[in-house]
Structure formats: structure tokens, C-alpha cells
Amino acid sequence: AMEDVCAKFVSQKISKTRWRPLPAAALQPPDLFATGSWDNEDNSISIWAVGDLGNVGLNSEYQVEPQLLCDIRHNGDVMDMQFLDQERIVVASSTGTVTVFRHHQNNQTLSANQCWEKAHYHVDQDTCCGGAACTGVICNNPEIVTVGEDGRINLFRADHKDAVRTIDNADSSTLHAVTFLRTTEILTVNSIGQLKIWDLRQQRNEPSQIFSLTGDRVPLHCVDRHPHQQHIVATGGQDGMLSIWDIRQGTMPVSLLNAHEAEVWEVHFHPSNPDHLFTCSEDGSLWHWDTSTDISEKPSFLHQGGRSTTYFSHTTTNQSVASAWLSNDPAKDRMEITNLIPNQTLSVNSLDVLGPCLVYGTDAEAIYVHKQLFA
Amino acid sequence: SRLVQVSKNYRSVIRACMEDMHQAALSARDPALQSQYSTQVSILSAMELIWNLCEILFVEAAAAGPLMLRLLDWVRLHICDVDNMVREVLSSENPSKHELFWNVVDVFVLQGRMDEARHLLSKEASANPTSVNMYKILDDLMKKMPVPSLGNTQTLTEMELKWQHWHEECQRYLQDGTFASNSHMESICKILLGDERAILERKELMTTWYHFLVTRLLYSHPTVKPMELRLYAQMDLFLGGESSPEPLDTILMAAFEFEMHQVIKECSIALSNWWFVAHLTDLLDHCKLLQSHNLYFGSNMREFLLLEYASGLFSHHSLWQLGVDYFDHCPEYGRVYLELHIERIPLNTEQKALKVLRICEQRQMHEQVRSICKIMAMKALRNNRLGSALSWSIRAKDAAFATLISDRFLKDYCERGCFSDLDLIDNLGPSMLLSDRLTFLGKYREFHRLYGEKRFSEAAKLLLMLMTAHIAPCSFWMTLLTDALPLLEHKEVIFSAEQTYELMRCLEDLTAGKVDKQKFQQSNPTSARFQDDVETTKVEMLRLALARNLARVIVKEGTLEGS
């Protein structure tokens, strides 16, 4: 419901929002998230708390707005951000530097723990912009993989000064995002519409597999892998298209879903409910894609007026979860798509989902927290 | 009334800023910073004051009757200097014994807060039994004072009549000397009668001339019409010639005189930021109150101010995105301004460039799309990011640039003997068709692939097609023919007779053109000679290979036909 969304205006354009990960087998919802800003003379990383303040007597529907715990200056735009563990955050900068920040819980401060300067750079220093941005970062403690506008892939290890491995000119175009496929394999997407698998165990500097979009080579901006079915991958494109790939077969996407009218900046499978997928876009919308088949258990808020809901026609029972995403014929399966933002204005640059909570940030200098996604 | 709501929204935004500034001022350690914040607070407070008055007079356009009530609210909201004193007296144990008691009563009366005044007076009365009679009469008078109503319960004329009667009643009591023994109460009665001197005596409780104005009007002309305000609004009586008017005073005066353009002009001068005047003018324009005040370049004032404001936004590192919306709402010059400004936004990351491009594409600003894509493509090319450069050319559908990039690839190939960035060339897809050179590049790479996969006849056919269909640029024909050599020399016959004749024809076309070239190479004889030698050798080898192939294929084809 609308009352479950809490907005906070923060006087800086938000480029990334990330929930702090919960310890394994934790039951409570997330209570802390980090944001990164962009386009300011002084950008910053901030840590926010959302909680019920421990007021038991308080009406649980009363939304407390996020409280700023601490922040720290960041040099350059925050291009990507990922929690390495409960205390450390890895941040990718437009200057090409990758920094690890540590959040000190005891006195609520942030400090820069480690830094790889010029992790990404152009060879010819005559360029007017002075550097290549690091566009994507992904972590699997203690490993950190980064990609950038220089087409380079770096593999770092936390607390190690030098890169473990660097693949120069891995791609002739800009790499926009990276994610882990397995512990030793990564997926990258680039600005000529290609999805590539890299096997980090192998020494050769070439992808083990290349997938492309059919038709025009529209740049791909984001990628995410299904948390349980590792062959299902989702990517978001510059033309607003969401593509679902089955990397076991073929080199082309399995389904193409047209929803957004501009760049899809982020795509996320819900980590524990992967029937649900979320995308956010430059067009100001945030879509919730729901392939869970039992419509009768749908939470009522999805049916409220004021949002656009699109139904595809009716269900087939006993549809396995995997094939719901991979089905070639969306008309056969029910997929419910909801725009979670009633008044779209400027771009939604980033989102993150964990448990029942959603957090997203916009160019309208606001952060939104939704604490009852599946109420 | 929707516009009144909009106006109230603006005011609450200003107040929210004021509150934030106030908090910042309180928590600031550095005294310089603190005073800076405090100055901001007072500026914002003045802004809200002006806006509020404009809302009452222009947006809501309160009519006689409600106008008085609104002005009273306005005064009560903004004159806060006396708040501390009021609070002090009210919270003391024995208010009526407080030395400032009568001051507070006077404040209430001056602001038309009759109920509160009466409440305080009742405390005095209970403490002072001797003046009970006087109190009762004064209380009664205050209770009976007619006030304009917001609803339609009484017409203006009815109210005026009632008020006239009441005024005369007050007069009678005053002249009877009812309050003679208590100077405070007497002075209150005089105020009720609108006695200017009596009101002026309490100058320090009103602090401003506009408070004085409203109080005077309340007690002499409560049914004042909006247009009559200018007759009563004057500062001299209050200021007494000691101090000169401040900018704020001039602005408010202009408002009371309904000189909207003057208000806007004075605000533009007084305030360092265009936010206030731009938004206020826009609101007034929506209320259809501004005649088109033609400035020398023909645009109206609203648009002029919005353009100024938005241009200011574009010089800000991050607020340029908001500026776009403002330009969208300027019908005459907005687009031109946007076109000029958007190309000057520094594009330090590709993501920012993409956002700017999206704005341009949404508004069909094709020139700007091409220009930005070209800048980004050139940058990529300089950094040797050929894939990125191609990606930008595709976005702009810039065939010329795609040709440039393809030439770069081909040049690299010629120099190194192998292709760079195979992941790109092998996966061009339909974007190959963007430019002929790009198509050639893709097809040429395909030839190499076919050759590598030992699919020789397909490779041969493709190679020939590249020349005969003129997909290959003439400069590359020599390279292609040289690539044909291994196929010609292959132990199996690959090129058919027909194909061989085609190849021969291509070679002849090529060498015919070369004769002219020799004339231009006179200037550098040594290298030209060397080049010539290499060229001649190549041509001879080709001729030989072609002839040999022709011989073999004729035999082969002749043999097949025979059996």
C-alpha cells in the first residue's frame, strides 16, 4: 500500500542503493542500507538506518523515515556499489578508482579501508575526461571483480594491494556490468549488446562464451542471475527491453519483454523469492515482474488502482518455476507486471531487494523505502 | 482555488527551508557560518512574507470583508517579535501582576485577537474588584465588535451598519469618561475607535508600518476594498522620517498598491537568486494577472524570468536536469535555450552522456544527438575503444563515422596482419548495414573465417563478390586479390573458369587505374620505385596464378563435361 512507502529527500542525486546483507538464517528484515551519489562536486557514500526504533507500542504501520547514520566523501561519481561483508562496502568510481570503505558500528563512522587507484584507465592520457570510469563491481568475499569503460576486467582480493588478475582489452566496447555466474565464472554485458561468460580459472584472455541480442546490437546495462537456477540470466537494455537468457542453450535470449521506455539501469531477481524480478529505468519507473503462478494468494496491494497492472492470459497449473521465466510464449503463462511508482518524474537509478524490503534512489534527489513488498 | 493551494505549497516549501536553515544555524559551531545561516533565515522569512501578501492580494484576490481577516492572519503569522513577551506573561503565575501585562493585552487588541484579550482582562478584573464595572463594559464592547464573516451570512452593507453602531457606542463610553480612571483601558478604547495617535503610541508593539496599517484598517475601515488599500498604505506616519524604507518595505508597498510589475521588479533587484521571482511570476501568470509586458526581444516577463532561472540551473553541476523541465515550459524560446545549453553539459562518464542523449531524443533534438554521439565516438576512438566508438555511431545512425571506424579496423589489419577486436567484428549483426565500409569489414572477416574453417569454395565466392559487387573499396582490392593467391595456388581447383575470368577483369581494372597513379609518384622517386617494384611483382604473380588456375579449370571443366 502507498503508506508502506517512505520517501526522504536528500539533496543529492542518488546513483546506487544497497541493503546491507543479512547474516545467514536471519529472520528479521534488513534495517540498514547504503547509498552513493553522483553529479555533485562532492559526492558521498551514506549509511542509513530504517527500523522501528524498538518502540514496541508504536503502531507498526507508522513509517519512520530513513535516518542518516554517517557519510563520507567520495571522489567521483559512485558508479556501482556492493557490500563485501557486514562492515565493508566496495565502491566503483567514475575516476576509475575502486575503494573499500569500512563502516564502524561502534561510533557510526565510515572510513576508507583500501583503495585501488586507476583500476580502470585509458592508455592514451590525452583524453579530455581524464580517465575511464569503473562501471561495475561484484563481490564474493574476499574476491572483488570490477569492469569499466576501458573494457578491462580486474580481479582483486580484499586486503591484497595488487590485482590478482587483469584482463586488458577484454572487450572492445564499454563493459557496463558484471556478476558472478559461479564462484569461478563471471558474466559481463557491454555496449554492443553482448553477454559474455568468463572463466577465471583459465589463463587465456578470452570469454568462454558469447551471447548476443538478435537484431540491433542495443547496449546492455545490467545483468543478474537467478539465485537458484544458475542457467537463467536476466539483462536490461538501453531501449528498455528486459531479456531473459538460458545460457545452457543457444546464443540468443529466450524471451524479450518490452516494458520501459528508456535505459534499464538495474535488474534484480529477488534473492529468496526468485519468482519476482525488479527493474528500474531512466524513464522513472520501477517494475515488479511476478511469475508466481498462484494468483489467489496475490497480495491485495498489487490490485490497487492508480498503478498499471498488465496481465497476460491465463495460467497453466503445475508450471515449474524455471520454465515460467524461460517460456517462449508469455501468453501461456501468467506474468503480472506492476509499476511501483505512481508519479514518475526523473530516472530511478538503482534499486535493491532483500526480504520484504525494497529501497530505490532517483535523480529527483530522493530515496524511497518500501517495507512491505509482499504484505 | 487550485492556484491558492499551489501558492500555499510554495510557502510551505519556503518555511521548510527556513526551518532547516534555522536548525543549521543552531547547530553550527563556526560563528561566521552561524551568522550566514541566520541571514538566510531572515531572507527566507522575508520571502515568505512577501509571497503570503501576494497570495492574499493577487492569487486569492480576497474581496472586501474576507480581505481584512486574511490581512489579520498575515500580520499574526509574521510579527513574532512579541511572542516571547506574550509567552512570558501567560506562563507567569499571576499574569495580571506582571509588569508587561498591559503590553500583552495591547498586543492582542492591536492584532484583533479579541478573545485572548478578553481572557487576560478577566484575570485583571478578578484581581481588581474595584474596576469590575469598567471591565464589564470594555469586555462587552470587545465581544460585540462586528467582524467580517467568511461565509455569506451577512452582506457588506449589513456589516458596515452594525459596525457604525458599535463605533458610536464606543465613542459614547469614551466621552462619558467611563474609562477615565484607568489609562490602560482608556487607551484600549481609543484603539478600538481607531484613534491614530493612540495606536501610534504603541508603536514598539507593532514594530512595522504594515502592522500599523492593518490595525488602523481594522478599527477604522474593516470593510476596506482591495483597491482602497493604496490610499491607506503609507510609511511616513510610522517611520516618522527617522529611517528610510528598506527594500522589503518598498516591495510590500508596491503590493498594497497592486503594482504587480513593480513588485516583481523590486524583488528581482533585492534578491540575488531568480527562484523567487521566476516562480512567483509564473504563478501570477497562471492567474492570468500579468498582461504581456513586452520586453525588447518580444518574450513576455514570465518566460524571460523562467529562462533566466533555468539558465542558472544549467550552470550548476547537478541541477541541469531540472532546468530541462523549465525550458520545456517556455513556449517561445525554451527549445532554443535548451539546444544551446544541453551541448555544454560536461560529459565525464558515458552514463551521463546517455542521460543527456535520452533528454535530446525525447524532444526530437536530432542535431544535438548527432553532435553528442560524435563527441563520445571521437573520444572512444582516441582511446582505441573501437567497439565503444561503433556503439555511439549506431546510436546516432551516423554512417560516416561508422565508415571511419571501419577504415581504422582495416588499417589495423593491414598493419598487423590480423584483426583486433574479433568479438566486435564477428558479432556486428544488422548494424553491419549502417555503412558500406562496415558491411565490407564484416564480410571480409567472414571470408577469413570461412577460409579458416576450410570452406574454400564459399570463401572464394565471397571474395569475388566483395569486388564485383563493389562492396570493397578500391584501395583494398590489391589485398583481396593477394588473399586470393593461396586459393588459386591450392592443389584443388577452387575458382571456376567464370570466376577466374572475373578475377582477371578485376586485376586489369586495378592495374589500369595504377598507371595514372605513377604520374603522381614522381616527387618521391626512391620509395615510389620500390613500391612500384613490389606492386609489379605482385601483379605478375597474380597474373601467373590466374593463368595457371584458368588452365587447370578449363581442363577440369572440360573433362567433366566430356563424361
Side-chain angles (χ1 to χ4, degrees):
Chain A
M2 282 314 299
E3 307 83 62
D4 297 324
V5 185
C6 184
K8 177 135 180 103
F9 288 89
V10 296
S11 307
Q12 48 182 357
K13 298 204 278 206
I14 299 297
S15 55
K16 289 288 156 191
T17 57
R18 293 282 179 261
W19 288 111
R20 181 178 60 177
L22 295 167
L27 292 172
Q28 76 274 25
D31 59 352
L32 194 144
F33 64 91
T35 61
S37 74
W38 77 285
D39 221 14
N40 285 336
E41 282 165 340
D42 294 327
N43 288 300
S44 57
I45 305 290
S46 313
I47 307 277
W48 305 81
V50 275
D52 295 319
L53 302 179
N55 288 345
V56 180
L58 209 58
N59 186 356
S60 63
E61 282 182 13
Y62 176 61
Q63 280 297 315
V64 182
E65 61 171 29
Q67 298 297 316
L68 178 66
L69 293 179
C70 49
D71 57 21
I72 190 169
R73 220 184 130 203
H74 178 262
N75 195 19
D77 293 343
V78 173
M79 303 293 295
D80 202 0
M81 198 163 74
Q82 201 81 39
F83 272 89
L84 181 63
D85 54 26
Q86 287 287 305
E87 281 120 27
R88 289 178 294 178
I89 309 170
V90 187
V91 181
S93 168
S94 60
T95 60
T97 299
V98 181
T99 316
V100 181
F101 290 95
R102 187 183 282 274
H103 173 219
H104 305 273
Q105 316 249 23
N106 47 358
N107 59 356
Q108 289 303 348
T109 54
L110 275 167
S111 63
N113 199 17
Q114 190 180 2
C115 175
W116 292 283
E117 286 191 24
K118 293 256 176 291
H120 294 274
Y121 58 94
H122 287 302
V123 179
D124 181 0
Q125 291 303 317
D126 291 340
T127 57
C128 50
C129 62
C134 176
T135 52
V137 67
I138 193 80
C139 307
N140 188 7
N141 201 359
E143 291 187 329
I144 300 167
V145 181
T146 71
V147 294
E149 283 177 1
D150 54 356
R152 180 173 276 115
I153 302 178
N154 289 313
L155 174 58
F156 295 110
R157 218 175 168 78
D159 303 322
H160 279 56
K161 197 167 82 81
D162 297 319
V164 172
R165 177 140 176 233
T166 297
I167 306 177
D168 289 328
N169 212 24
D171 200 307
S172 65
S173 67
T174 298
L175 288 166
H176 281 140
V178 61
T179 193
F180 274 103
L181 178 62
R182 284 174 249 280
T183 45
T184 55
E185 288 181 313
I186 55 169
L187 287 161
T188 61
V189 288
N190 67 13
S191 60
I192 44 172
Q194 293 174 322
L195 171 68
K196 296 182 182 177
I197 303 180
W198 302 81
D199 189 337
L200 297 173
R201 288 167 302 189
Q202 296 191 10
Q203 275 313 302
R204 65 183 193 139
N205 288 348
E206 263 152 47
S208 47
Q209 230 179 327
I210 301 181
F211 302 84
S212 309
L213 291 171
T214 52
D216 282 330
R217 298 293 191 252
V218 176
L220 295 172
H221 285 286
C222 52
V223 60
D224 197 20
R225 191 210 69 202
H226 193 289
H228 308 142
Q229 325 254 346
Q230 291 181 348
H231 53 275
I232 302 180
V233 172
T235 61
Q238 201 173 87
D239 54 357
M241 193 86 79
L242 168 67
S243 310
I244 310 286
W245 313 68
D246 180 349
I247 59 173
R248 294 173 308 191
Q249 55 196 34
T251 55
M252 296 180 322
V254 168
S255 36
L256 298 167
L257 303 157
N258 202 349
H260 293 288
E261 286 157 14
E263 288 82 352
V264 180
W265 293 125
E266 287 194 18
V267 61
H268 291 266
F269 280 98
H270 192 288
S272 45
N273 284 21
D275 289 347
H276 299 265
L277 182 84
F278 297 85
T279 55
C280 63
S281 163
E282 178 72 19
D283 69 5
S285 62
L286 195 158
W287 292 90
H288 171 187
W289 307 72
D290 184 354
T291 57
S292 47
T293 50
D294 194 345
I295 197 74
S296 61
E297 281 174 18
K298 250 338 136 247
S300 59
F301 87 94
L302 283 173
H303 297 276
Q304 272 178 12
R307 298 195 236 251
S308 46
T309 7
T310 316
Y311 282 87
F312 288 105
S313 65
H314 97 116
T315 190
T316 329
T317 53
N318 296 334
Q319 192 75 201
S320 76
V321 167
S323 54
W325 286 117
L326 294 180
S327 165
N328 283 333
D329 184 3
K332 259 208 280 198
D333 299 286
R334 171 169 290 150
M335 188 181 324
E336 204 171 303
I337 308 168
T338 319
N339 182 5
L340 295 179
I341 303 181
N343 305 315
Q344 308 179 185
T345 50
L346 292 177
S347 167
V348 181
N349 292 323
S350 175
L351 74 96
D352 199 12
V353 276
L354 189 59
C357 303
L358 166 74
V359 62
Y360 59 96
T362 68
D363 271 347
E365 305 190 344
I367 306 172
Y368 296 82
V369 179
H370 201 309
K371 293 209 83 175
Q372 314 269 355
L373 262 188
F374 306 110
Chain B
S1 64
R2 184 183 63 90
L3 292 165
V4 174
Q5 188 55 45
V6 171
S7 179
K8 286 198 195 331
N9 284 344
Y10 274 117
R11 278 174 42 218
S12 67
V13 165
I14 299 176
R15 266 205 292 274
C17 279
M18 222 158 70
E19 185 54 45
D20 282 346
M21 266 299 152
H22 186 65
Q23 290 302 323
L26 287 177
S27 56
R29 310 276 175 78
D30 175 21
L33 208 57
Q34 200 170 39
S35 74
Q36 194 185 9
Y37 288 150
S38 303
T39 320
Q40 291 294 320
V41 174
S42 46
I43 293 176
L44 285 166
S45 166
M47 277 164 63
E48 213 253 313
L49 179 73
I50 301 168
W51 194 294
N52 199 345
L53 185 61
C54 290
E55 182 185 304
I56 296 170
L57 298 176
F58 308 139
V59 182
E60 199 185 340
L67 176 62
M68 191 71 249
L69 295 172
R70 290 277 183 264
L71 287 174
L72 277 173
D73 281 337
W74 178 66
V75 162
R76 287 172 200 162
L77 196 57
H78 290 104
I79 309 295
C80 349
D81 296 354
V82 294
D83 283 355
N84 281 337
M85 180 174 67
V86 169
R87 216 170 312 141
E88 207 184 296
V89 170
L90 287 177
S91 52
S92 71
E93 306 160 2
N94 218 339
S96 53
K97 292 284 174 276
H98 200 290
E99 54 172 0
L100 296 172
F101 171 77
W102 285 106
N103 278 355
V104 176
V105 178
D106 286 341
V107 164
F108 287 150
V109 173
L110 289 168
Q111 291 186 4
R113 291 149 83 170
M114 289 307 170
D115 291 338
E116 289 166 80
R118 285 173 53 216
H119 180 76
L120 263 190
L121 276 178
S122 68
K123 292 202 201 294
E124 153 77 358
S126 46
N128 220 338
T130 51
S131 51
V132 156
N133 275 333
M134 253 196 304
Y135 156 73
K136 273 215 191 97
I137 296 171
L138 188 59
D139 181 76
D140 193 51
L141 281 177
M142 288 166 81
K143 188 165 77 176
K144 284 198 307 203
M145 175 173 139
V147 282
S149 70
L150 278 172
N152 290 331
T153 50
Q154 61 174 8
T155 66
L156 222 51
T157 338
E158 279 173 15
M159 152 111 196
E160 274 172 14
L161 269 173
K162 279 197 216 159
W163 189 84
Q164 201 59 37
H165 281 149
W166 173 83
H167 188 91
E168 282 161 7
E169 199 180 332
C170 292
Q171 192 84 5
R172 270 200 306 276
Y173 279 117
L174 185 69
Q175 279 162 359
D176 283 349
T178 323
F179 303 109
S181 57
N182 188 324
S183 64
H184 293 292
M185 293 211 202
E186 192 176 51
S187 123
I188 290 178
C189 188
K190 283 192 186 158
I191 294 175
L192 291 179
L193 285 169
D195 182 324
E196 238 172 57
R197 220 169 330 138
I199 299 175
L200 269 176
E201 259 168 40
R202 320 309 280 133
K203 200 157 108 165
E204 77 282 0
L205 294 175
M206 291 186 290
T207 67
T208 61
W209 60 270
Y210 36 96
H211 187 330
F212 172 57
L213 165 68
V214 173
T215 308
R216 249 176 83 214
L217 286 172
L218 174 64
Y219 294 116
S220 53
H221 295 95
T223 55
V224 63
K225 298 195 190 35
M227 286 306 167
E228 289 169 353
L229 284 173
R230 69 178 67 215
L231 303 169
Y232 297 100
Q234 39 107 307
M235 297 183 243
D236 307 334
L237 218 58
F238 193 85
L239 297 174
E242 308 158 350
S243 40
S244 50
E246 308 234 313
L248 177 61
D249 298 321
T250 334
I251 294 167
L252 291 171
M253 184 60 82
F256 281 123
E257 291 171 356
F258 275 76
E259 296 284 346
M260 262 175 274
H261 287 116
Q262 193 68 19
V263 170
I264 295 169
K265 182 169 151 214
E266 294 290 336
C267 286
S268 309
I269 297 170
L271 293 165
S272 58
N273 185 296
W274 289 107
W275 182 89
F276 185 84
V277 282
H279 289 89
L280 182 61
T281 312
D282 177 65
L283 182 63
L284 294 177
D285 187 75
H286 275 96
C287 300
K288 312 249 187 296
L289 292 170
L290 297 175
Q291 307 144 308
S292 55
H293 184 107
N294 281 326
L295 301 170
Y296 67 91
F297 51 85
S299 161
N300 64 41
M301 188 188 281
R302 168 190 171 266
E303 179 150 328
F304 170 72
L305 290 170
L306 284 177
L307 289 171
E308 282 299 310
Y309 178 62
S311 300
L313 287 177
F314 264 87
S315 60
H316 190 272
H317 49 80
S318 84
L319 292 177
W320 55 271
Q321 263 180 307
L322 297 175
V324 175
D325 264 333
Y326 282 93
F327 282 138
D328 282 345
H329 286 92
C330 292
E332 264 192 70
Y333 290 103
R335 191 183 166 94
V336 175
Y337 268 69
L338 182 60
E339 284 174 3
L340 290 172
H341 274 107
I342 206 133
E343 285 188 18
R344 282 163 179 66
I345 299 172
L347 303 172
N348 52 328
T349 60
E350 290 195 1
Q351 195 162 358
K352 185 159 176 185
L354 289 173
K355 286 182 183 265
V356 173
L357 272 176
R358 186 60 61 182
I359 291 170
C360 294
E361 278 176 0
Q362 280 169 347
R363 289 158 182 75
Q364 276 93 47
M365 291 163 58
H366 302 300
E367 273 302 307
Q368 282 68 32
V369 170
R370 276 185 77 103
S371 146
I372 291 170
C373 284
K374 191 165 269 168
I375 293 171
M376 297 305 292
M378 281 304 312
K379 237 196 262 187
L381 209 56
R382 273 210 305 277
N383 288 326
N384 221 29
R385 316 289 320 136
L386 295 179
S388 296
L390 187 62
S391 162
W392 290 110
S393 328
I394 293 173
R395 177 87 183 249
K397 301 198 192 6
D398 190 343
F401 212 88
T403 305
L404 197 77
I405 297 167
S406 316
D407 279 338
R408 219 357 223 281
F409 271 113
L410 292 168
K411 182 162 150 269
D412 278 354
Y413 169 76
C414 287
E415 282 171 10
R416 286 196 269 155
C418 65
F419 284 106
S420 63
D421 307 312
L422 282 177
D423 62 335
L424 171 63
I425 307 173
D426 279 344
N427 292 289
L428 284 172
S431 56
M432 205 194 300
L433 301 172
L434 182 60
S435 108
D436 286 343
R437 195 59 50 82
L438 197 56
T439 314
F440 168 64
L441 180 65
K443 291 281 172 210
Y444 187 51
R445 167 63 197 149
E446 198 182 320
F447 162 73
H448 279 270
R449 243 211 335 261
L450 289 170
Y451 189 94
E453 289 168 13
K454 300 212 183 337
R455 290 153 67 180
F456 294 125
S457 54
E458 288 172 65
K461 212 187 296 182
L462 180 57
L463 186 65
L464 190 56
M465 192 262 289
L466 286 177
M467 283 187 284
T468 54
H470 293 282
I471 298 175
C474 292
S475 53
F476 226 76
W477 279 24
M478 203 54 190
T479 317
L480 291 178
L481 287 166
T482 318
D483 285 335
L485 263 175
L487 292 172
L488 289 167
E489 300 289 343
H490 203 263
K491 59 182 195 304
E492 272 180 43
V493 171
I494 296 166
F495 285 103
S496 71
E498 179 103 21
Q499 288 174 328
T500 316
Y501 283 128
E502 291 280 345
L503 280 173
M504 283 170 152
R505 197 198 341 265
C506 290
L507 183 57
E508 292 316 310
D509 284 344
L510 195 58
T511 48
K514 288 242 187 298
V515 171
D516 298 326
K517 261 210 212 149
Q518 279 172 352
K519 297 200 181 115
F520 289 107
Q521 281 165 352
Q522 299 299 339
S523 51
N524 209 343
T526 333
S527 66
R529 184 76 47 79
F530 178 69
Q531 277 289 66
D532 282 350
D533 285 345
V534 172
E535 288 294 301
T536 326
T537 318
K538 268 201 221 163
V539 170
E540 280 175 15
M541 279 177 66
L542 275 167
R543 286 214 177 100
L544 185 60
L546 283 166
R548 284 219 287 256
N549 191 64
L550 191 57
R552 288 194 295 162
V553 82
I554 286 174
V555 170
K556 177 177 169 211
E557 282 174 10
T559 314
L560 282 168
E561 271 170 339
S563 57

